[in-house]
Amino acid sequence: QVQLVESGGGLVQAGGSLRLSCAASLRPFNIYAMAWFRQAPGKKRDFLAAISGSGGTTNYADSVKGRFTISRDITKNTVYLQMNSLKPEETAVYYCAAKIGRIETTLGYDYWGQGTQVTVSS
């Protein structure tokens, strides 16, 4: 079975940082592009960041460039999203996603986690 499990969400003050983790059952892990999305109440699900299977290529939404960093640890089958300088408007459920092949910035991923809540207080 394919399973993506996010963790690391929680409450943080504006300007603070969080690191999200996504543990994946996908094998071999390095053939899957991985991505992070978020969805705020009443909003569509938006792309945040993606990383290629090898980890050699990354892509970020303009809104998070310079503040968020996506990375992956092949030995741990885990992808991370380091989020710095968080803003209250970034309160949302954050989702991990995976697909075989090239990274995409759309919702065209095959596998999704359940999401983890991130709340940024002002």
Side-chain angles (χ1 to χ4, degrees), residues 21-87:
S21 298
C22 175
S25 65
L26 304 161
R27 301 289 188 280
F29 187 49
N30 63 0
I31 71 170
Y32 289 87
M34 304 292 295
W36 288 95
F37 294 76
R38 69 185 172 202
Q39 187 167 23
K43 303 290 186 179
K44 66 182 182 70
R45 191 169 298 188
D46 289 331
F47 169 81
L48 297 176
I51 188 166
S52 63
S54 68
T57 303
T58 58
N59 188 277
Y60 296 92
D62 288 342
S63 61
V64 305
K65 285 181 180 177
R67 297 188 298 118
F68 290 13
T69 302
I70 189 170
S71 61
R72 65 196 297 161
D73 186 333
I74 304 302
T75 64
K76 296 181 179 179
N77 300 110
T78 301
V79 63
Y80 304 95
L81 185 68
Q82 177 67 46
M83 306 185 294
N84 298 327
S85 301
L86 283 161
K87 306 171 183 178

Side-chain angles (χ1 to χ4, degrees), residues 4-9 20-22 36-39 45 92-97 112-118:
L4 305 178
V5 180
E6 301 97 334
S7 62
L20 305 182
S21 298
C22 175
W36 288 95
F37 294 76
R38 69 185 172 202
Q39 187 167 23
R45 191 169 298 188
V93 176
Y94 284 67
Y95 296 91
C96 177
W112 295 83
Q114 292 292 111
T116 185
Q117 176 71 44
V118 171

